[in-house]
């Protein structure tokens, strides 16, 4: 469980997040949705501690992140897997090297075990064949998938995904969503996903938080979202005409 | 990491040979009335004292410095540094320290290499023009040699290597967002390193000679 309490975050005096409170539950896929620029990435980075917050608290279970000592913080970070919006794969290593990187640092496994684990992770994202390639040789979608493999390599307790399926074709996007959901349930992970893909919302939106210009505008589940009475949310949800038609038919 | 320096060997070699030749020829032309051995001696000492440490550091600041800054800068904007941080690593230590170390170790060797090639370049200069015979030049090279000058040169080159790698890493690391900033900061890295190198050159000359 992760809880955010009254988070404020500004850059150069301009507030990007204002008074965000939310809880993200274990074993569930928690979604943060919102338009481009609404503050999703900043919120995610505040939650994992990559951005300091102006005020407010982030709790991982019963521990407040800001109150942790340096050492506790490092330990905590080992339990976090994160998929960055840009992939953030290390271009000094191969695909396999990237997935093995956190394993080599923290797992205490032998080289052979690390490689086996890396292969298992790559297998899950259907990328085993590309394990020897350099990052620059991958397509955008392959980079996303490799980044997912790296994020799950250490079997994290907390998984953060910044737009895991943007830039993927619809079929792969569904596979990735399903994979994240599966891992979440299997290992009882607290998973937080940024997305603006309504497909993902309808597939895996156990809990959905809608951000609008840095504020939490709405909160609910995928079942409530279609008949929520909220102008901005409706604009977001029914932005594409297919969804509009679906709504008229309801 | 070694690639940082290794890729620069060709340019260092070319510059050293040509500058060596030019220094020798100019000294020969300017020292018409001085003893013949002065040409070799002056060429050797100016290469050791000034050219090979300072000029090479300036060349490397341009080549390696901008490379370090843009590499670290693009790691910043592609969130690779965030990823390292999130894994609980101190990204600054992890990325910058090895670069500084390898430069501080490697640049003195490049400097010595450059001294050798510069002296050979001077020799070629003498062979190709008729100012001085090659053996007169060689005699000058061997005359009144002060080993301390080489030590001085190596110390300078290590300090310069430290300056150019750390200054460039700093500029790369301080990129916040956007590819434009990567370009801007790698230019800044080169300019700042060059200025620092020149200032420290003055300081070290005062202190060490
Ligand atoms: N490092 C930063 N410095 C200054 N402003 C920033 C910084 N990072 C983000 N912002 C601002 O914060 C706001 C929210 O950005 P954020 O990246 O969280 O959007 P997002 O919801 O993730 O959008 P997208 O869907 O396009 O990724 C934007 O207006 C952006 O300009
Ligand atoms: Mg984003």
């Amino acid at each position: 469980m992760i809880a955010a309490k009254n988070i404020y975050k500004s850059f150069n005096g301009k507030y990007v997040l204002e008074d965000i409170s939310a809880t993200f539950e274990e074993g569930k896929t928690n979604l943060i949705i919102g338009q481009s620029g609404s503050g999703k990435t900043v919120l995610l980075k505040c939650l994992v501690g990559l951005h300091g917050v102006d005020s407010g608290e982030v709790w991982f279970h019963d521990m407040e992140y800001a109150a942790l000592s340096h050492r506790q913080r490092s330990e905590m970070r080992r339990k976090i897997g994160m998929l960055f919006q840009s992939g953030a794969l290390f271009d000094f290593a191969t695909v396999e090297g990237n997935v093995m990187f956190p394993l080599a640092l923290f797992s205490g496994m032998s080289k052979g075990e690390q490689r086996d684990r890396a292969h298992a992770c790559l297998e899950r994202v259907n990328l085993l064949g590309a394990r020897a390639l350099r990052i620059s040789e991958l397509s955008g979608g392959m980079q996303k998938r490799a980044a997912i493999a790296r994020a799950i390599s250490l079997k994290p307790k907390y998984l953060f995904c910044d737009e895991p399926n943007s830039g993927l074709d619809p079929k792969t996007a569904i596979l990735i969503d399903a994979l994240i959901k599966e891992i979440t349930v299997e290992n009882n992970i607290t998973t937080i996903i940024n997305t603006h893909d309504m497909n993902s919302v309808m597939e895996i939106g156990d809990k959905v938080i809608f951000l609008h210009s840095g504020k939490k505008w709405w909160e609910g589940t995928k079942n409530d979202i279609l008949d929520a009475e909220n102008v901005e949310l409706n604009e977001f949800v029914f932005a594409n005409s297919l969804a509009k038609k679906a709504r008229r038919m309801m | 990491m070694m690639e940082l320096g290794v890729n620069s060997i060709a340019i260092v070699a070319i510059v050293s040979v040509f500058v060596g030749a030019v220094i020798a020829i100019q000294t020969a032309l300017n020292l018409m009335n001085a003893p013949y051995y002065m040409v070799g001696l002056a060429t050797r000492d100016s290469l050791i004292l000034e050219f090979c440490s300072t000029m090479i550091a300036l060349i490397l600041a341009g080549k390696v410095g901008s490379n370090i800054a843009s590499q670290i800068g693009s790691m910043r904007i592609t969130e690779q540094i965030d990823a390292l941080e999130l894994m609980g690593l101190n990204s600054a230590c992890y990325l910058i320290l090895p670069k500084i170390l390898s430069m501080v170790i490697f640049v003195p060797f490049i400097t010595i290499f450059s001294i050798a090639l510069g002296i050979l370049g001077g020799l070629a200069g003498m062979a190709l023009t008729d100012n001085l015979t090659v053996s007169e030049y060689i005699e000058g090279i061997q005359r009144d040699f002060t080993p301390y000058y080489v030590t001085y040169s190596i110390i300078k080159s290590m300090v310069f290597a430290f300056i150019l790698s750390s200054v460039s890493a700093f500029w790369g690391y301080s990129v916040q967002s956007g590819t434009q900033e990567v370009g801007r900061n790698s230019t800044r890295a080169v300019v700042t390193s060059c200025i620092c190198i020149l200032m420290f050159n003055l300081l070290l000359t005062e202190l060490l000679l």
Side-chain angles (χ1 to χ4, degrees):
Chain A
M1 199 264 297
I2 297 175
K5 293 184 184 167
N6 309 98
I7 289 185
Y8 286 83
K9 171 73 188 169
S10 63
F11 288 109
N12 315 319
K14 190 178 144 277
Y15 276 100
V16 174
L17 296 178
E18 283 180 71
D19 199 18
I20 308 276
S21 299
T23 53
F24 304 96
E25 285 153 39
E26 246 169 29
K28 291 196 173 161
T29 40
N30 302 276
L31 267 53
I32 301 172
I33 62 173
Q35 283 172 353
S36 181
S38 56
K40 302 185 295 294
T41 300
V42 174
L43 177 56
L44 213 61
K45 288 192 176 175
C46 286
L47 292 176
V48 297
L50 282 172
H51 284 323
V53 294
D54 293 1
S55 65
E57 297 169 359
V58 178
W59 289 76
F60 287 76
H61 281 282
D62 51 353
M63 287 188 285
E64 196 209 337
Y65 187 82
L68 296 180
S69 71
H70 190 73
R71 218 173 109 214
Q72 288 170 313
R73 222 175 268 195
S74 303
E75 260 161 41
M76 170 66 83
R77 287 189 162 181
R78 279 163 215 182
K79 296 189 210 149
I80 296 177
M82 178 148 178
L83 166 66
F84 288 85
Q85 188 161 4
S86 62
L89 294 163
F90 302 128
D91 41 28
F92 52 75
T94 59
V95 173
E96 186 179 64
N98 265 280
V99 183
M100 282 170 68
F101 190 88
L103 294 169
L105 283 175
F106 303 121
S107 69
M109 294 176 179
S110 72
K111 259 267 159 346
E113 288 169 328
Q114 289 172 22
R115 186 158 291 124
D116 290 344
R117 173 76 189 139
H119 287 184
C121 295
L122 286 169
E123 179 87 73
R124 283 200 94 152
V125 294
N126 203 4
L127 215 56
L128 197 52
R131 64 180 178 276
L133 296 184
R134 302 228 133 233
I135 301 311
S136 52
E137 296 170 312
L138 299 184
S139 75
M142 288 161 96
Q143 293 194 15
K144 273 266 147 69
R145 287 185 279 147
I148 292 177
R150 185 178 70 184
I152 61 175
S153 64
L154 274 176
K155 302 199 173 144
K157 284 305 295 166
Y158 309 97
L159 182 61
F160 296 81
C161 302
D162 200 351
E163 314 216 345
N165 53 18
S166 66
L168 297 180
D169 61 280
K171 193 169 157 227
T172 314
I174 291 172
L175 282 178
I176 292 295
D177 280 346
L179 170 69
I180 293 174
K181 174 92 199 166
E182 202 178 296
I183 295 167
T184 302
V185 175
E186 202 174 288
N187 302 312
N188 201 28
I189 302 174
T190 308
T191 301
I192 305 181
I193 303 169
N194 279 357
T195 185
H196 42 220
D197 179 12
M198 276 313 290
N199 265 331
S200 305
V201 175
M202 299 321 290
E203 288 291 330
I204 57 170
D206 293 341
K207 171 159 190 175
V208 183
I209 286 165
F210 175 62
L211 285 190
H212 183 71
S213 54
K215 299 190 190 70
K216 186 171 93 173
W217 220 251
W218 184 85
E219 174 176 352
T221 71
K222 64 183 176 189
N223 304 321
D224 327 328
I225 201 165
L226 289 180
D227 35 43
E229 296 300 327
N230 184 311
V231 182
E232 283 78 12
L233 178 64
N234 289 344
E235 263 172 28
F236 178 84
V237 172
F238 300 108
N240 73 49
S241 54
L242 188 68
K244 272 197 200 108
K245 269 185 212 150
R247 173 151 188 158
R248 272 200 299 276
M249 288 189 304
M250 286 196 317
Chain B
M1 244 20 113
M2 268 324 213
E3 83 202 68
L4 285 181
V6 172
N7 287 339
S8 315
I9 283 183
I11 176 96
V12 167
I14 293 168
V15 172
S16 306
V17 169
F18 278 90
V19 170
V22 169
I23 292 180
I25 293 171
Q26 285 185 350
T27 321
L29 290 176
N30 285 318
L31 294 181
M32 278 314 202
N33 301 320
Y36 65 90
Y37 62 77
M38 279 307 286
V39 175
L41 190 147
T43 307
R44 181 196 70 208
D45 284 354
S46 43
L47 285 170
I48 295 178
L49 286 175
E50 199 48 39
F51 169 74
C52 291
S53 48
T54 312
M55 282 281 282
I56 295 303
L58 293 176
I59 292 174
L60 291 180
K63 204 163 179 303
V64 181
S66 59
N67 181 313
I68 291 179
S70 55
Q71 195 192 341
I72 295 182
S74 35
M75 288 188 76
R76 167 71 80 193
I77 58 167
T78 54
E79 301 178 306
Q80 291 179 53
I81 290 185
D82 281 341
L84 287 171
E85 286 284 331
L86 197 61
M87 289 177 192
L89 288 177
N90 183 332
S91 59
C93 284
Y94 186 82
L95 292 173
I96 298 175
L97 224 53
K99 289 189 171 40
I100 295 181
L101 267 179
S102 62
M103 287 307 281
V104 169
I105 293 170
F106 194 66
V107 172
F109 287 103
I110 300 191
T111 304
I112 292 170
F113 171 72
S114 158
I115 293 174
L117 284 183
I119 290 174
L120 285 179
L123 193 103
M126 294 302 96
L128 295 174
T129 59
D130 46 11
N131 295 307
L132 214 64
T133 67
V134 168
S135 57
E136 283 170 328
Y137 174 76
I138 292 178
E139 199 186 325
I141 294 287
Q142 292 167 331
R143 200 150 176 145
D144 295 334
F145 176 60
T146 323
Y148 176 68
Y149 284 177
V150 178
T151 317
Y152 162 78
S153 185
I154 287 175
I155 293 175
K156 275 211 310 192
S157 70
M158 290 173 95
V159 173
F160 294 161
F162 178 81
I163 291 173
L164 79 89
S165 49
S166 53
V167 167
S168 310
F170 166 79
W171 281 112
Y173 206 75
S174 58
V175 167
Q176 296 271 321
S177 56
T179 38
Q180 271 192 332
E181 215 185 331
V182 175
R184 206 178 319 130
N185 278 18
S186 59
T187 312
R188 281 186 188 141
V190 176
V191 173
T192 331
S193 322
C194 287
I195 293 173
C196 291
I197 286 172
L198 292 173
M199 291 197 315
F200 270 82
N201 188 26
L202 194 67
L203 191 75
L204 288 175
T205 308
E206 277 298 306
L207 286 177
L208 296 174
L209 280 189

